[in-house]
């Protein structure tokens, strides 16, 4: 009780970063739609000059938060930042149904897509992948990013994988990866490398469904 659990201690370290994001609210509210959109290019430029995603995290989260509010009428609260930072760090964030997991994922997805190396969002079924790509895709498109969808029956998979943010199911990603390892020429491959992924329902995909590649 005195020293807290490992999770408690780790979250305490993240709290100051969340405060930084919250402090930028007024500044982001004042920006016009065009100015908010242009922030994506500003971030890209800063990354090229040597800054890291961690350096731009508070501002990028604040931009994404304001964009979601303008486009979807949904606002990220303090604990959403906690979840977003945990996911950005490559860790597991446990959230109950209805706590806004889909909205939380927009923060690390936007931040890691700025580099132009691609972000994969892995869901458990075609319905969720399609729904989220259309729903949350509005935020990314508003901020000048491209969105792709990889589900059963999609014809141009290469274009979907070339997008800044790609939504798809664990099965499609897995089998596309295996197929890419069987092609004769490099240009026949559909995936373009593996930079950053967010796995929805990670316990289901990596444990329960671990029978499939």
């Amino acid at each position: 009780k005195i020293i807290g659990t490992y999770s408690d201690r780790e979250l305490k370290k993240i709290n100051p970063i969340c405060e930084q994001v919250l402090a930028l609210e007024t500044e982001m509210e004042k920006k016009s739609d065009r100015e908010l959109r242009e922030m994506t290019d500003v971030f890209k430029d800063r990354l090229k000059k040597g800054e890291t995603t961690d350096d731009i995290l508070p501002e990028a989260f604040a931009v994404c938060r304001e964009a979601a509010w303008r486009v979807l009428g949904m606002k990220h609260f303090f604990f959403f930042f906690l979840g977003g930072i945990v996911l950005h760090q490559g860790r597991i964030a446990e959230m109950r149904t209805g706590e806004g997991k889909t909205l939380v994922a927009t923060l690390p997805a936007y931040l890691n897509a700025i580099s132009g190396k691609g972000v994969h969002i892995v869901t458990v079924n075609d319905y969720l992948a399609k729904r989220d790509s259309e729903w949350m895709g509005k935020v990314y498109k508003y901020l000048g990013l491209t969105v792709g969808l990889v589900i059963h029956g999609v014809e141009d998979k290469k274009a979907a994988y070339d997008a800044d943010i790609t939504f798809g199911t664990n099965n499609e990603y897995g089998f596309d990866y295996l197929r890419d390892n069987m092609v004769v020429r490099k240009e026949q491959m559909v995936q373009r490398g593996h930079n950053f992924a967010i796995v929805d329902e990670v316990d289901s995909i990596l444990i329960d469904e671990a029978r499939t590649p």
Side-chain angles (χ1 to χ4, degrees):
K1 275 182 182 177
I2 294 165
I3 62 166
T5 64
Y6 172 78
S7 290
D8 291 336
R9 293 196 300 277
E10 289 299 302
L11 288 174
K12 205 175 269 186
K13 288 181 198 169
I14 295 169
N15 278 336
I17 309 170
C18 299
E19 298 284 2
Q20 283 177 272
V21 181
L22 217 51
L24 291 163
E25 182 175 21
T26 313
E27 187 187 322
M28 296 307 163
E29 279 174 353
K30 287 177 185 170
K31 290 186 185 294
S32 67
D33 286 351
R34 206 183 92 200
E35 286 172 331
L36 203 62
R37 239 180 239 117
E38 284 171 351
M39 287 303 292
T40 302
D41 294 325
V42 171
F43 294 143
K44 283 180 180 178
D45 198 44
R46 283 169 60 181
L47 288 177
K48 279 177 192 163
K49 286 177 178 169
E51 286 192 56
T52 66
T53 46
D54 288 343
D55 294 329
I56 64 167
L57 187 150
E59 288 164 274
F61 273 27
V63 165
C64 186
R65 181 189 195 219
E66 182 60 28
W69 177 242
R70 292 185 193 185
V71 177
L72 304 173
M74 300 168 85
K75 189 162 267 191
H76 302 79
F77 297 111
F78 190 88
F79 74 91
F80 284 50
F81 308 145
L82 287 174
I85 293 165
V86 166
L87 290 175
H88 167 65
Q89 292 175 341
R91 304 201 252 185
I92 295 170
E94 184 183 5
M95 295 180 72
R96 294 182 187 89
T97 303
E99 279 192 334
K101 288 186 290 185
T102 313
L103 193 60
V104 165
T106 57
L107 298 169
Y110 172 65
L111 173 65
N112 285 278
I114 294 167
S115 66
K117 294 174 186 172
V119 166
H120 292 158
I121 296 181
V122 189
T123 60
V124 287
N125 58 51
D126 286 1
Y127 165 75
L128 283 174
K130 192 170 189 303
R131 183 201 72 176
D132 293 353
S133 72
E134 291 169 359
W135 188 20
M136 296 297 140
K138 291 174 187 171
V139 178
Y140 305 129
K141 287 171 183 172
Y142 172 85
L143 289 169
L145 299 177
T146 55
V147 177
L149 176 65
V150 176
I151 55 174
H152 187 66
V154 169
E155 286 183 18
D156 194 354
K157 280 191 172 174
K158 186 153 183 21
Y161 280 116
D162 284 344
D164 292 313
I165 297 170
T166 307
F167 288 82
T169 61
N170 51 316
N171 279 335
E172 289 297 316
Y173 285 131
F175 285 111
D176 284 342
Y177 174 76
L178 294 176
R179 281 189 284 263
D180 274 358
N181 277 279
M182 292 165 65
V183 297
V184 181
R185 289 191 166 80
K186 195 178 179 182
E187 56 269 22
Q188 292 173 309
M189 294 171 76
V190 293
Q191 294 185 351
R192 57 160 176 152
H194 308 90
N195 170 51
F196 184 83
I198 296 171
V199 185
D200 186 20
E201 298 193 32
V202 69
D203 50 348
S204 172
I205 289 175
L206 296 187
I207 300 171
D208 305 341
E209 301 292 324
R211 299 180 307 279
T212 63

